[in-house]
Amino acid sequence: MGKNVLLVDDSSTMRKIIGRSLRQAGIDFDNIYEAADGLEALEVLESESVDIVLSDINMPNMDGISFLREKSTRDAIKDIPVLMISTETGDDIIGEAKSLGAVGAIKKPFTPDKVNEVLGPLL
């Protein structure tokens, strides 16, 4: 049985780029769900079976850090791993994300090889 991924980014173009990078990296997902912000991501996680989340940090409505904070309070979804994909990869923001449960980070722009290197061991 394949895996399901949730891509969370306020840019629909960036969600498509990430999805294409996953395919180019040879990572095969049965379903690629999308959300434009943390609020939508929580809705998807509550209704779909998701194995891993790839989330931006800077988004309207609910940013990636607030999403991690809220996700950690919900028993049904708190253990789903989240990998941050962002232009912001400073030690402070990534440290905060990791303290809230993020399993790592990939800096934008990225290559399919980088996606495979970071995401591969998590699957």
Side-chain angles (χ1 to χ4, degrees):
M1 176 156 166
K3 304 260 184 196
N4 298 325
V5 64
L6 170 60
L7 308 180
V8 187
D9 197 300
D10 53 313
S11 165
S12 62
T13 301
M14 184 51 65
R15 293 192 305 266
K16 291 187 182 5
I17 289 169
I18 296 168
R20 186 170 59 244
S21 293
L22 292 173
R23 288 187 293 280
Q24 289 173 343
I27 302 172
D28 188 30
F29 287 100
D30 281 353
N31 295 293
I32 298 178
Y33 300 107
E34 295 186 14
D37 59 39
L39 290 173
E40 283 185 24
L42 291 169
E43 290 175 17
V44 172
L45 291 177
E46 294 285 357
S47 64
E48 303 293 344
S49 173
V50 173
D51 297 289
I52 191 160
V53 178
L54 307 182
S55 178
D56 191 11
I57 292 175
N58 294 314
M59 298 176 288
N61 302 320
M62 180 183 278
D63 65 27
I65 298 298
S66 298
F67 162 68
L68 287 170
R69 192 171 284 118
E70 179 61 29
K71 181 184 147 302
S72 71
T73 68
R74 300 185 185 194
D75 287 341
I77 63 172
K78 68 180 182 183
D79 294 327
I80 299 170
V82 178
L83 180 68
M84 307 312 288
I85 297 184
S86 183
T87 55
E88 277 199 54
T89 54
D91 290 342
D92 54 341
I93 193 81
I94 297 306
E96 183 177 5
K98 286 183 175 178
S99 75
L100 293 168
V103 294
I106 296 176
K107 182 170 176 51
K108 293 177 188 174
F110 49 84
T111 64
D113 287 342
K114 184 65 175 175
V115 170
N116 200 21
E117 173 189 323
V118 176
L119 196 54
L122 300 173
L123 297 174

